[in-house]
mmCIF file with all atom_site columns, all heavy atoms in Angstrom:
data_model
loop_
_atom_site.group_PDB
_atom_site.id
_atom_site.type_symbol
_atom_site.label_atom_id
_atom_site.label_alt_id
_atom_site.label_comp_id
_atom_site.label_asym_id
_atom_site.label_entity_id
_atom_site.label_seq_id
_atom_site.pdbx_PDB_ins_code
_atom_site.Cartn_x
_atom_site.Cartn_y
_atom_site.Cartn_z
_atom_site.occupancy
_atom_site.B_iso_or_equiv
_atom_site.pdbx_formal_charge
_atom_site.auth_seq_id
_atom_site.auth_comp_id
_atom_site.auth_asym_id
_atom_site.auth_atom_id
_atom_site.pdbx_PDB_model_num
ATOM 1   N N   . LYS U 1 243 ? 67.229 -31.963 -110.187 1.00 0.00 ? 1575 LYS U N   1
ATOM 2   C CA  . LYS U 1 243 ? 68.683 -32.125 -110.262 1.00 0.00 ? 1575 LYS U CA  1
ATOM 3   C C   . LYS U 1 243 ? 69.311 -32.219 -108.873 1.00 0.00 ? 1575 LYS U C   1
ATOM 4   O O   . LYS U 1 243 ? 70.246 -32.987 -108.646 1.00 0.00 ? 1575 LYS U O   1
ATOM 5   C CB  . LYS U 1 243 ? 69.290 -30.977 -111.056 1.00 0.00 ? 1575 LYS U CB  1
ATOM 6   C CG  . LYS U 1 243 ? 69.025 -31.039 -112.560 1.00 0.00 ? 1575 LYS U CG  1
ATOM 7   C CD  . LYS U 1 243 ? 69.763 -29.958 -113.303 1.00 0.00 ? 1575 LYS U CD  1
ATOM 8   C CE  . LYS U 1 243 ? 69.555 -30.087 -114.810 1.00 0.00 ? 1575 LYS U CE  1
ATOM 9   N NZ  . LYS U 1 243 ? 70.125 -31.345 -115.334 1.00 0.00 ? 1575 LYS U NZ  1
ATOM 10  N N   . LEU U 1 244 ? 68.790 -31.423 -107.940 1.00 0.00 ? 1576 LEU U N   1
ATOM 11  C CA  . LEU U 1 244 ? 69.344 -31.460 -106.586 1.00 0.00 ? 1576 LEU U CA  1
ATOM 12  C C   . LEU U 1 244 ? 69.035 -32.770 -105.888 1.00 0.00 ? 1576 LEU U C   1
ATOM 13  O O   . LEU U 1 244 ? 69.867 -33.292 -105.132 1.00 0.00 ? 1576 LEU U O   1
ATOM 14  C CB  . LEU U 1 244 ? 68.803 -30.281 -105.774 1.00 0.00 ? 1576 LEU U CB  1
ATOM 15  C CG  . LEU U 1 244 ? 69.287 -28.898 -106.213 1.00 0.00 ? 1576 LEU U CG  1
ATOM 16  C CD1 . LEU U 1 244 ? 68.600 -27.810 -105.392 1.00 0.00 ? 1576 LEU U CD1 1
ATOM 17  C CD2 . LEU U 1 244 ? 70.798 -28.778 -106.087 1.00 0.00 ? 1576 LEU U CD2 1
ATOM 18  N N   . GLU U 1 245 ? 67.868 -33.302 -106.118 1.00 0.00 ? 1577 GLU U N   1
ATOM 19  C CA  . GLU U 1 245 ? 67.518 -34.594 -105.543 1.00 0.00 ? 1577 GLU U CA  1
ATOM 20  C C   . GLU U 1 245 ? 68.451 -35.675 -106.078 1.00 0.00 ? 1577 GLU U C   1
ATOM 21  O O   . GLU U 1 245 ? 68.944 -36.527 -105.321 1.00 0.00 ? 1577 GLU U O   1
ATOM 22  C CB  . GLU U 1 245 ? 66.069 -34.939 -105.857 1.00 0.00 ? 1577 GLU U CB  1
ATOM 23  C CG  . GLU U 1 245 ? 65.583 -36.236 -105.235 1.00 0.00 ? 1577 GLU U CG  1
ATOM 24  C CD  . GLU U 1 245 ? 65.592 -36.199 -103.716 1.00 0.00 ? 1577 GLU U CD  1
ATOM 25  O OE1 . GLU U 1 245 ? 65.022 -35.267 -103.135 1.00 0.00 ? 1577 GLU U OE1 1
ATOM 26  O OE2 . GLU U 1 245 ? 66.198 -37.123 -103.120 1.00 0.00 ? 1577 GLU U OE2 1
ATOM 27  N N   . GLN U 1 246 ? 68.724 -35.623 -107.381 1.00 0.00 ? 1578 GLN U N   1
ATOM 28  C CA  . GLN U 1 246 ? 69.629 -36.597 -107.980 1.00 0.00 ? 1578 GLN U CA  1
ATOM 29  C C   . GLN U 1 246 ? 71.056 -36.425 -107.473 1.00 0.00 ? 1578 GLN U C   1
ATOM 30  O O   . GLN U 1 246 ? 71.781 -37.399 -107.254 1.00 0.00 ? 1578 GLN U O   1
ATOM 31  C CB  . GLN U 1 246 ? 69.621 -36.444 -109.506 1.00 0.00 ? 1578 GLN U CB  1
ATOM 32  C CG  . GLN U 1 246 ? 68.290 -36.773 -110.169 1.00 0.00 ? 1578 GLN U CG  1
ATOM 33  C CD  . GLN U 1 246 ? 68.285 -36.397 -111.654 1.00 0.00 ? 1578 GLN U CD  1
ATOM 34  O OE1 . GLN U 1 246 ? 69.324 -36.133 -112.230 1.00 0.00 ? 1578 GLN U OE1 1
ATOM 35  N NE2 . GLN U 1 246 ? 67.099 -36.354 -112.246 1.00 0.00 ? 1578 GLN U NE2 1
ATOM 36  N N   . THR U 1 247 ? 71.455 -35.171 -107.276 1.00 0.00 ? 1579 THR U N   1
ATOM 37  C CA  . THR U 1 247 ? 72.839 -34.878 -106.919 1.00 0.00 ? 1579 THR U CA  1
ATOM 38  C C   . THR U 1 247 ? 73.125 -35.068 -105.436 1.00 0.00 ? 1579 THR U C   1
ATOM 39  O O   . THR U 1 247 ? 74.156 -35.642 -105.055 1.00 0.00 ? 1579 THR U O   1
ATOM 40  C CB  . THR U 1 247 ? 73.190 -33.426 -107.318 1.00 0.00 ? 1579 THR U CB  1
ATOM 41  O OG1 . THR U 1 247 ? 72.936 -33.245 -108.707 1.00 0.00 ? 1579 THR U OG1 1
ATOM 42  C CG2 . THR U 1 247 ? 74.649 -33.120 -107.018 1.00 0.00 ? 1579 THR U CG2 1
ATOM 43  N N   . PHE U 1 248 ? 72.212 -34.585 -104.588 1.00 0.00 ? 1580 PHE U N   1
ATOM 44  C CA  . PHE U 1 248 ? 72.469 -34.587 -103.151 1.00 0.00 ? 1580 PHE U CA  1
ATOM 45  C C   . PHE U 1 248 ? 71.593 -35.553 -102.353 1.00 0.00 ? 1580 PHE U C   1
ATOM 46  O O   . PHE U 1 248 ? 71.823 -35.741 -101.163 1.00 0.00 ? 1580 PHE U O   1
ATOM 47  C CB  . PHE U 1 248 ? 72.279 -33.177 -102.586 1.00 0.00 ? 1580 PHE U CB  1
ATOM 48  C CG  . PHE U 1 248 ? 73.275 -32.175 -103.088 1.00 0.00 ? 1580 PHE U CG  1
ATOM 49  C CD1 . PHE U 1 248 ? 72.928 -31.267 -104.084 1.00 0.00 ? 1580 PHE U CD1 1
ATOM 50  C CD2 . PHE U 1 248 ? 74.561 -32.140 -102.586 1.00 0.00 ? 1580 PHE U CD2 1
ATOM 51  C CE1 . PHE U 1 248 ? 73.843 -30.336 -104.551 1.00 0.00 ? 1580 PHE U CE1 1
ATOM 52  C CE2 . PHE U 1 248 ? 75.492 -31.213 -103.051 1.00 0.00 ? 1580 PHE U CE2 1
ATOM 53  C CZ  . PHE U 1 248 ? 75.129 -30.313 -104.034 1.00 0.00 ? 1580 PHE U CZ  1
ATOM 54  N N   . GLY U 1 249 ? 70.602 -36.133 -103.006 1.00 0.00 ? 1581 GLY U N   1
ATOM 55  C CA  . GLY U 1 249 ? 69.685 -37.006 -102.283 1.00 0.00 ? 1581 GLY U CA  1
ATOM 56  C C   . GLY U 1 249 ? 70.337 -38.237 -101.706 1.00 0.00 ? 1581 GLY U C   1
ATOM 57  O O   . GLY U 1 249 ? 69.883 -38.783 -100.686 1.00 0.00 ? 1581 GLY U O   1
ATOM 58  N N   . SER U 1 250 ? 71.421 -38.695 -102.325 1.00 0.00 ? 1582 SER U N   1
ATOM 59  C CA  . SER U 1 250 ? 72.108 -39.898 -101.839 1.00 0.00 ? 1582 SER U CA  1
ATOM 60  C C   . SER U 1 250 ? 73.225 -39.589 -100.840 1.00 0.00 ? 1582 SER U C   1
ATOM 61  O O   . SER U 1 250 ? 73.920 -40.503 -100.381 1.00 0.00 ? 1582 SER U O   1
ATOM 62  C CB  . SER U 1 250 ? 72.705 -40.669 -103.027 1.00 0.00 ? 1582 SER U CB  1
ATOM 63  O OG  . SER U 1 250 ? 73.624 -39.861 -103.745 1.00 0.00 ? 1582 SER U OG  1
ATOM 64  N N   . TRP U 1 251 ? 73.397 -38.315 -100.514 1.00 0.00 ? 1583 TRP U N   1
ATOM 65  C CA  . TRP U 1 251 ? 74.382 -37.940 -99.497  1.00 0.00 ? 1583 TRP U CA  1
ATOM 66  C C   . TRP U 1 251 ? 73.956 -38.562 -98.173  1.00 0.00 ? 1583 TRP U C   1
ATOM 67  O O   . TRP U 1 251 ? 72.887 -38.261 -97.641  1.00 0.00 ? 1583 TRP U O   1
ATOM 68  C CB  . TRP U 1 251 ? 74.427 -36.429 -99.393  1.00 0.00 ? 1583 TRP U CB  1
ATOM 69  C CG  . TRP U 1 251 ? 75.540 -35.856 -98.556  1.00 0.00 ? 1583 TRP U CG  1
ATOM 70  C CD1 . TRP U 1 251 ? 76.578 -36.527 -97.980  1.00 0.00 ? 1583 TRP U CD1 1
ATOM 71  C CD2 . TRP U 1 251 ? 75.710 -34.471 -98.215  1.00 0.00 ? 1583 TRP U CD2 1
ATOM 72  N NE1 . TRP U 1 251 ? 77.401 -35.666 -97.299  1.00 0.00 ? 1583 TRP U NE1 1
ATOM 73  C CE2 . TRP U 1 251 ? 76.894 -34.390 -97.412  1.00 0.00 ? 1583 TRP U CE2 1
ATOM 74  C CE3 . TRP U 1 251 ? 74.998 -33.306 -98.479  1.00 0.00 ? 1583 TRP U CE3 1
ATOM 75  C CZ2 . TRP U 1 251 ? 77.357 -33.179 -96.902  1.00 0.00 ? 1583 TRP U CZ2 1
ATOM 76  C CZ3 . TRP U 1 251 ? 75.464 -32.106 -97.981  1.00 0.00 ? 1583 TRP U CZ3 1
ATOM 77  C CH2 . TRP U 1 251 ? 76.626 -32.043 -97.200  1.00 0.00 ? 1583 TRP U CH2 1
ATOM 78  N N   . PRO U 1 252 ? 74.758 -39.462 -97.603  1.00 0.00 ? 1584 PRO U N   1
ATOM 79  C CA  . PRO U 1 252 ? 74.309 -40.195 -96.410  1.00 0.00 ? 1584 PRO U CA  1
ATOM 80  C C   . PRO U 1 252 ? 74.046 -39.279 -95.213  1.00 0.00 ? 1584 PRO U C   1
ATOM 81  O O   . PRO U 1 252 ? 74.856 -38.391 -94.912  1.00 0.00 ? 1584 PRO U O   1
ATOM 82  C CB  . PRO U 1 252 ? 75.487 -41.139 -96.116  1.00 0.00 ? 1584 PRO U CB  1
ATOM 83  C CG  . PRO U 1 252 ? 76.235 -41.242 -97.402  1.00 0.00 ? 1584 PRO U CG  1
ATOM 84  C CD  . PRO U 1 252 ? 76.086 -39.907 -98.064  1.00 0.00 ? 1584 PRO U CD  1
ATOM 85  N N   . ALA U 1 253 ? 72.928 -39.491 -94.582  1.00 0.00 ? 1585 ALA U N   1
ATOM 86  C CA  . ALA U 1 253 ? 72.609 -38.739 -93.363  1.00 0.00 ? 1585 ALA U CA  1
ATOM 87  C C   . ALA U 1 253 ? 73.493 -39.227 -92.223  1.00 0.00 ? 1585 ALA U C   1
ATOM 88  O O   . ALA U 1 253 ? 73.730 -40.424 -92.081  1.00 0.00 ? 1585 ALA U O   1
ATOM 89  C CB  . ALA U 1 253 ? 71.138 -38.912 -93.010  1.00 0.00 ? 1585 ALA U CB  1
ATOM 90  N N   . ARG U 1 254 ? 74.002 -38.276 -91.433  1.00 0.00 ? 1586 ARG U N   1
ATOM 91  C CA  . ARG U 1 254 ? 74.816 -38.625 -90.278  1.00 0.00 ? 1586 ARG U CA  1
ATOM 92  C C   . ARG U 1 254 ? 74.426 -37.723 -89.122  1.00 0.00 ? 1586 ARG U C   1
ATOM 93  O O   . ARG U 1 254 ? 74.029 -36.570 -89.311  1.00 0.00 ? 1586 ARG U O   1
ATOM 94  C CB  . ARG U 1 254 ? 76.316 -38.461 -90.576  1.00 0.00 ? 1586 ARG U CB  1
ATOM 95  C CG  . ARG U 1 254 ? 76.853 -39.380 -91.641  1.00 0.00 ? 1586 ARG U CG  1
ATOM 96  C CD  . ARG U 1 254 ? 78.385 -39.455 -91.590  1.00 0.00 ? 1586 ARG U CD  1
ATOM 97  N NE  . ARG U 1 254 ? 79.016 -38.147 -91.687  1.00 0.00 ? 1586 ARG U NE  1
ATOM 98  C CZ  . ARG U 1 254 ? 79.291 -37.541 -92.835  1.00 0.00 ? 1586 ARG U CZ  1
ATOM 99  N NH1 . ARG U 1 254 ? 78.963 -38.128 -93.985  1.00 0.00 ? 1586 ARG U NH1 1
ATOM 100 N NH2 . ARG U 1 254 ? 79.878 -36.357 -92.840  1.00 0.00 ? 1586 ARG U NH2 1
ATOM 101 N N   . THR U 1 255 ? 74.584 -38.225 -87.934  1.00 0.00 ? 1587 THR U N   1
ATOM 102 C CA  . THR U 1 255 ? 74.291 -37.437 -86.737  1.00 0.00 ? 1587 THR U CA  1
ATOM 103 C C   . THR U 1 255 ? 75.427 -36.466 -86.466  1.00 0.00 ? 1587 THR U C   1
ATOM 104 O O   . THR U 1 255 ? 76.603 -36.827 -86.555  1.00 0.00 ? 1587 THR U O   1
ATOM 105 C CB  . THR U 1 255 ? 74.102 -38.359 -85.519  1.00 0.00 ? 1587 THR U CB  1
ATOM 106 O OG1 . THR U 1 255 ? 73.048 -39.281 -85.782  1.00 0.00 ? 1587 THR U OG1 1
ATOM 107 C CG2 . THR U 1 255 ? 73.773 -37.540 -84.275  1.00 0.00 ? 1587 THR U CG2 1
ATOM 108 N N   . VAL U 1 256 ? 75.059 -35.244 -86.161  1.00 0.00 ? 1588 VAL U N   1
ATOM 109 C CA  . VAL U 1 256 ? 76.047 -34.215 -85.864  1.00 0.00 ? 1588 VAL U CA  1
ATOM 110 C C   . VAL U 1 256 ? 76.008 -33.896 -84.380  1.00 0.00 ? 1588 VAL U C   1
ATOM 111 O O   . VAL U 1 256 ? 74.930 -33.713 -83.806  1.00 0.00 ? 1588 VAL U O   1
ATOM 112 C CB  . VAL U 1 256 ? 75.766 -32.924 -86.676  1.00 0.00 ? 1588 VAL U CB  1
ATOM 113 C CG1 . VAL U 1 256 ? 76.780 -31.845 -86.324  1.00 0.00 ? 1588 VAL U CG1 1
ATOM 114 C CG2 . VAL U 1 256 ? 75.798 -33.223 -88.169  1.00 0.00 ? 1588 VAL U CG2 1
ATOM 115 N N   . LYS U 1 257 ? 77.170 -33.846 -83.776  1.00 0.00 ? 1589 LYS U N   1
ATOM 116 C CA  . LYS U 1 257 ? 77.245 -33.465 -82.374  1.00 0.00 ? 1589 LYS U CA  1
ATOM 117 C C   . LYS U 1 257 ? 76.795 -32.014 -82.218  1.00 0.00 ? 1589 LYS U C   1
ATOM 118 O O   . LYS U 1 257 ? 77.293 -31.122 -82.893  1.00 0.00 ? 1589 LYS U O   1
ATOM 119 C CB  . LYS U 1 257 ? 78.669 -33.630 -81.853  1.00 0.00 ? 1589 LYS U CB  1
ATOM 120 C CG  . LYS U 1 257 ? 78.843 -33.210 -80.394  1.00 0.00 ? 1589 LYS U CG  1
ATOM 121 C CD  . LYS U 1 257 ? 80.312 -33.300 -79.972  1.00 0.00 ? 1589 LYS U CD  1
ATOM 122 C CE  . LYS U 1 257 ? 80.493 -32.806 -78.541  1.00 0.00 ? 1589 LYS U CE  1
ATOM 123 N NZ  . LYS U 1 257 ? 81.921 -32.838 -78.119  1.00 0.00 ? 1589 LYS U NZ  1
ATOM 124 N N   . ALA U 1 258 ? 75.848 -31.795 -81.360  1.00 0.00 ? 1590 ALA U N   1
ATOM 125 C CA  . ALA U 1 258 ? 75.337 -30.444 -81.145  1.00 0.00 ? 1590 ALA U CA  1
ATOM 126 C C   . ALA U 1 258 ? 76.406 -29.590 -80.474  1.00 0.00 ? 1590 ALA U C   1
ATOM 127 O O   . ALA U 1 258 ? 76.924 -29.945 -79.409  1.00 0.00 ? 1590 ALA U O   1
ATOM 128 C CB  . ALA U 1 258 ? 74.074 -30.481 -80.295  1.00 0.00 ? 1590 ALA U CB  1
ATOM 129 N N   . GLU U 1 259 ? 76.762 -28.477 -81.115  1.00 0.00 ? 1591 GLU U N   1
ATOM 130 C CA  . GLU U 1 259 ? 77.747 -27.554 -80.563  1.00 0.00 ? 1591 GLU U CA  1
ATOM 131 C C   . GLU U 1 259 ? 77.036 -26.279 -80.129  1.00 0.00 ? 1591 GLU U C   1
ATOM 132 O O   . GLU U 1 259 ? 76.310 -25.671 -80.901  1.00 0.00 ? 1591 GLU U O   1
ATOM 133 C CB  . GLU U 1 259 ? 78.811 -27.217 -81.611  1.00 0.00 ? 1591 GLU U CB  1
ATOM 134 C CG  . GLU U 1 259 ? 79.646 -28.403 -82.058  1.00 0.00 ? 1591 GLU U CG  1
ATOM 135 C CD  . GLU U 1 259 ? 80.684 -28.805 -81.027  1.00 0.00 ? 1591 GLU U CD  1
ATOM 136 O OE1 . GLU U 1 259 ? 80.846 -28.071 -80.038  1.00 0.00 ? 1591 GLU U OE1 1
ATOM 137 O OE2 . GLU U 1 259 ? 81.326 -29.855 -81.223  1.00 0.00 ? 1591 GLU U OE2 1
ATOM 138 N N   . SER U 1 260 ? 77.229 -25.893 -78.908  1.00 0.00 ? 1592 SER U N   1
ATOM 139 C CA  . SER U 1 260 ? 76.626 -24.656 -78.419  1.00 0.00 ? 1592 SER U CA  1
ATOM 140 C C   . SER U 1 260 ? 77.724 -23.647 -78.123  1.00 0.00 ? 1592 SER U C   1
ATOM 141 O O   . SER U 1 260 ? 78.771 -24.002 -77.560  1.00 0.00 ? 1592 SER U O   1
ATOM 142 C CB  . SER U 1 260 ? 75.798 -24.909 -77.153  1.00 0.00 ? 1592 SER U CB  1
ATOM 143 O OG  . SER U 1 260 ? 76.610 -25.433 -76.127  1.00 0.00 ? 1592 SER U OG  1
ATOM 144 N N   . ILE U 1 261 ? 77.499 -22.404 -78.521  1.00 0.00 ? 1593 ILE U N   1
ATOM 145 C CA  . ILE U 1 261 ? 78.467 -21.348 -78.270  1.00 0.00 ? 1593 ILE U CA  1
ATOM 146 C C   . ILE U 1 261 ? 78.264 -20.838 -76.851  1.00 0.00 ? 1593 ILE U C   1
ATOM 147 O O   . ILE U 1 261 ? 77.138 -20.509 -76.465  1.00 0.00 ? 1593 ILE U O   1
ATOM 148 C CB  . ILE U 1 261 ? 78.287 -20.205 -79.279  1.00 0.00 ? 1593 ILE U CB  1
ATOM 149 C CG1 . ILE U 1 261 ? 78.409 -20.741 -80.710  1.00 0.00 ? 1593 ILE U CG1 1
ATOM 150 C CG2 . ILE U 1 261 ? 79.317 -19.103 -79.039  1.00 0.00 ? 1593 ILE U CG2 1
ATOM 151 C CD1 . ILE U 1 261 ? 78.095 -19.710 -81.775  1.00 0.00 ? 1593 ILE U CD1 1
#
Side-chain angles (χ1 to χ4, degrees):
K1575 288 186 177 296
L1576 292 176
E1577 183 63 52
Q1578 295 171 14
T1579 304
F1580 294 102
S1582 59
W1583 189 6
R1586 296 197 304 274
T1587 302
V1588 178
K1589 178 184 177 182
E1591 296 284 352
S1592 60
I1593 303 174

